[in-house]
Amino acid sequence: MAIETAIRTFKNLIGGEWTESSSGRTFDSINPANKTEVVGRFQASVEDDVVQAIESAEKAFPAWKAVAPSKRAEMLYKAAVLLETGLEQYAEELTREEGKTLAASRMEVKRSAQTLRYYASEGLNIAGDTLPSDDPTTFVYTKKEPLGVVTVITPWNFPISIPVRKIAPALASGNTVVFKPASDTPLIAFRLVEALHNAGLPAGVINFVTGSASKTGVPLVSHPAVKAVTFTGSTGAGENIRRNVRLSTRIQMELGGKNPLIVLEDADLDHAVELAVKGGFELTGQACTGTSRVIVMEQVHDAFVEKLIARTKTLTIGNGLSGEAEIGPLANDSQLNNVLDYVAIGQAEGAELAYGGEWINEGEYANGYFVRPAIFTGVRPDMRIAQEEIFGPVVSVIRVKCFKHAIRVANDVEYGLSASIVTSDYNRMQYFIDHIQSGIVKVNRTTTGNALNVPFGGLKMSSTATFRESGREALDFYTHSKTVYHGIQELKFCCSK
């Protein structure tokens, strides 16, 4: 039974007002390291709430579009300061709500402030082109304009940094936003919206609704006023959105991954192990760019596995608020059951569970969703644990005989988000870069992590591959190009010379 002492109830933000859901119901956000703790209580929104939010955003759009870019930038800069001012509080709340370590939460809040500043600046550089015309009396140019109402739907694993990298470019380019965060992490999403609201955004420019996708999802993607939907989440959910979105509504979706780390025979094995541990187990494996498969040349396979198990055994598992924990809990009961199910599937398929994979539920772990990181060996490329996204601390080690075989195995999945190789051979680095089917390619680096000023996105079933997130390219999604043919009358001079 969850402890309910002094629980704060948080509201939606619609049309500049903090409001309760028309459903009259709420739901609790639970600490995954201690499921008896309620972090906060939030509105169980329904379609009527979403429609109100969309209509508020639609009403606010013309005035927000007309606001000077420098004024929009000022508000984003101010929101960044507000996030940094509340850094320690927000990082602790993020950890209590999502489970990641306090150090990781601090980094995420800091990065979110940096992203706000980045797009505050980039919003001043949105420009069209002038083009030559065969008609000397016609001036031809293009101009970039905002789309209108943008729906932002985000996951729980990076519950402030992913929303910021969607919301900041949307606002900087003059759009209005309706934001629905994941129900597992609504508090840190609330803090972001609170910062933007307190930074002076006009009523209706940013709207915030919490609740389940089943109760809110239809109008979020199908309402006629919604001009764009940006979503990060599972491939299945993305496919459902694509089926329901209107033909004229722009979509941007970043979805699942089954990311490989290729370890060649000339690799620094200690470095390769660190990359595998960081990519596979940091954030409890709950990253779309996480390392799920390690493809190892047979010459170094056994030595690599021995080092990987030894290093994994040293990892400290615990509550993210403790200074010692390197791996926190899984985000919720569903995630825990999913990981345990895949551990069982891997064993049933004939893979060897070389280490870990058990639910840790005694003593200080009794009330949390803790699992020991799992390492499978003897994994065939066609096994489910080598093909399907698990989204947890489970790494499959696959033995290969040659470099090109490693590339084939790496590409032989339906996903193509992030991939990395560990080698000192420049020629094979370049071959990998040219032939890997992945939107993000890394050399001697972990599959996880991306810079805020560079494009982010996947190939195949990892993305709609329409518009990239992050960097300057992200602004393309939130603007459309208008082509102008400006007729110029020929001047008649009265002077005879």
Side-chain angles (χ1 to χ4, degrees):
M1 189 73 176
I3 299 170
E4 299 193 2
T5 303
I7 300 170
R8 179 179 169 186
T9 298
F10 297 86
K11 297 180 180 181
N12 291 337
L13 180 65
I14 298 177
E17 300 291 333
W18 297 105
T19 62
E20 296 179 352
S21 169
S22 60
S23 72
R25 296 189 298 274
T26 59
F27 67 94
D28 293 342
S29 177
I30 303 297
N31 182 346
N34 178 12
K35 57 190 177 183
T36 65
E37 179 190 354
V38 177
V39 178
R41 188 157 287 151
F42 295 84
Q43 303 304 309
S45 302
V46 291
E47 290 189 4
D48 286 347
D49 303 310
V50 175
V51 170
Q52 289 179 35
I54 292 170
E55 290 175 349
S56 295
E58 183 181 30
K59 182 179 178 181
F61 172 64
W64 181 242
K65 175 184 176 182
V67 170
S70 61
K71 293 295 183 184
R72 294 199 291 259
E74 284 179 13
M75 297 177 204
L76 295 184
Y77 281 126
K78 185 174 181 181
V81 171
L82 292 172
L83 286 185
E84 289 175 334
T85 301
L87 173 63
E88 290 304 316
Q89 174 191 337
Y90 300 156
E92 181 179 335
E93 289 176 343
L94 199 167
T95 293
R96 288 173 57 219
E97 186 173 51
E98 197 274 346
K100 64 181 63 178
T101 66
L102 190 56
S105 294
R106 286 195 188 100
M107 288 178 60
E108 184 170 347
V109 176
K110 286 180 181 178
R111 179 186 174 90
S112 299
Q114 292 168 349
T115 301
L116 285 167
R117 289 194 176 93
Y118 175 79
Y119 283 111
S121 176
E122 284 297 324
L124 303 178
N125 297 317
I126 297 172
D129 297 304
T130 59
L131 300 150
S133 172
D134 286 343
D135 182 352
T137 65
T138 303
F139 174 42
V140 180
Y141 63 96
T142 63
K143 58 180 298 191
K144 296 280 191 178
E145 294 186 343
L147 305 176
V149 179
V150 175
T151 293
V152 175
I153 307 171
T154 57
W156 45 259
N157 59 330
F158 292 95
I160 185 168
S161 63
I162 289 178
V164 164
R165 79 181 186 209
K166 296 173 182 289
I167 293 171
L171 296 176
S173 52
N175 299 279
T176 54
V177 169
V178 177
F179 171 34
K180 196 205 86 67
S183 294
D184 284 305
T185 52
L187 179 54
I188 193 63
F190 174 92
R191 295 303 186 198
L192 169 61
V193 172
E194 183 181 50
L196 290 165
H197 178 68
N198 291 340
L201 263 66
V205 172
I206 180 76
N207 300 272
F208 173 73
V209 291
T210 56
S212 69
S214 63
K215 301 293 185 181
T216 61
V218 173
L220 280 170
V221 302
S222 64
H223 192 286
V226 173
K227 303 306 179 188
V229 177
T230 176
F231 168 81
T232 297
S234 70
T235 298
E239 289 177 324
N240 187 56
I241 289 173
R242 190 163 192 168
R243 285 192 293 268
N244 287 280
V245 77
R246 292 165 61 88
L247 179 64
S248 59
T249 301
R250 187 173 288 189
I251 57 172
Q252 174 192 64
M253 292 191 281
E254 292 303 329
L255 309 169
K258 194 67 180 174
N259 312 295
L261 175 72
I262 297 177
V263 181
L264 298 188
E265 76 281 0
D266 65 342
D268 178 332
L269 290 190
D270 290 330
H271 182 56
V273 164
E274 289 302 317
L275 296 180
V277 168
K278 182 178 177 64
F281 302 142
E282 197 172 83
L283 303 167
T284 322
Q286 298 174 130
C288 57
T289 54
T291 303
S292 184
R293 299 175 294 152
V294 183
I295 301 167
V296 188
M297 296 285 276
E298 64 178 359
Q299 297 96 314
V300 294
H301 174 274
D302 293 350
F304 173 83
V305 169
E306 182 179 352
K307 286 177 176 287
L308 178 62
I309 292 172
R311 177 68 179 92
T312 303
K313 286 180 177 179
T314 70
L315 298 174
T316 302
I317 302 168
N319 190 316
L321 291 176
S322 73
E324 296 78 24
E326 297 169 275
I327 299 177
L330 291 159
N332 52 48
D333 183 65
S334 176
Q335 283 295 108
L336 174 66
N337 289 330
N338 185 64
V339 168
L340 295 177
D341 285 347
Y342 270 105
V343 169
I345 288 168
Q347 292 174 296
E349 288 181 311
E352 179 186 350
L353 182 59
Y355 178 76
E358 69 269 23
W359 179 17
I360 309 172
N361 57 2
E362 296 181 353
E364 63 183 293
Y365 304 106
N367 291 318
Y369 304 117
F370 295 96
V371 65
R372 200 173 305 282
I375 298 170
F376 276 100
T377 58
V379 178
R380 298 190 313 271
D382 63 342
M383 288 181 174
R384 288 181 62 188
I385 58 170
Q387 289 287 323
E388 299 174 9
E389 185 177 42
I390 300 173
F391 218 67
V394 180
V395 166
S396 295
V397 182
I398 303 172
R399 184 195 299 257
V400 292
K401 294 184 177 181
C402 68
F403 173 55
K404 289 191 176 180
H405 182 205
I407 297 291
R408 289 196 301 273
V409 170
N411 287 335
D412 189 26
V413 292
E414 65 178 356
Y415 299 105
L417 182 53
S418 182
S420 183
I421 190 169
V422 192
T423 181
S424 57
D425 186 329
Y426 180 81
N427 289 328
R428 291 194 289 182
M429 290 178 193
Q430 196 57 51
Y431 187 94
F432 170 76
I433 292 168
D434 291 341
H435 291 84
I436 195 69
Q437 297 168 4
S438 182
I440 301 165
V441 182
K442 299 191 176 185
V443 176
N444 296 322
R445 292 292 181 268
T446 180
T447 59
T448 52
N450 63 289
L452 62 88
N453 63 325
V454 300
F456 174 87
L459 303 178
K460 300 194 284 188
M461 294 300 286
S462 288
S463 173
T464 47
T466 47
F467 296 88
R468 288 300 190 225
E469 292 191 338
S470 292
R472 183 169 292 180
E473 280 190 30
L475 291 163
D476 293 340
F477 175 72
Y478 300 98
T479 60
H480 65 80
S481 183
K482 181 180 286 185
T483 303
V484 180
Y485 295 81
H486 189 167
I488 305 170
Q489 289 189 342
E490 191 173 345
L491 291 176
K492 296 180 180 180
F493 297 94
C494 60
C495 180
S496 60
K497 291 185 180 182

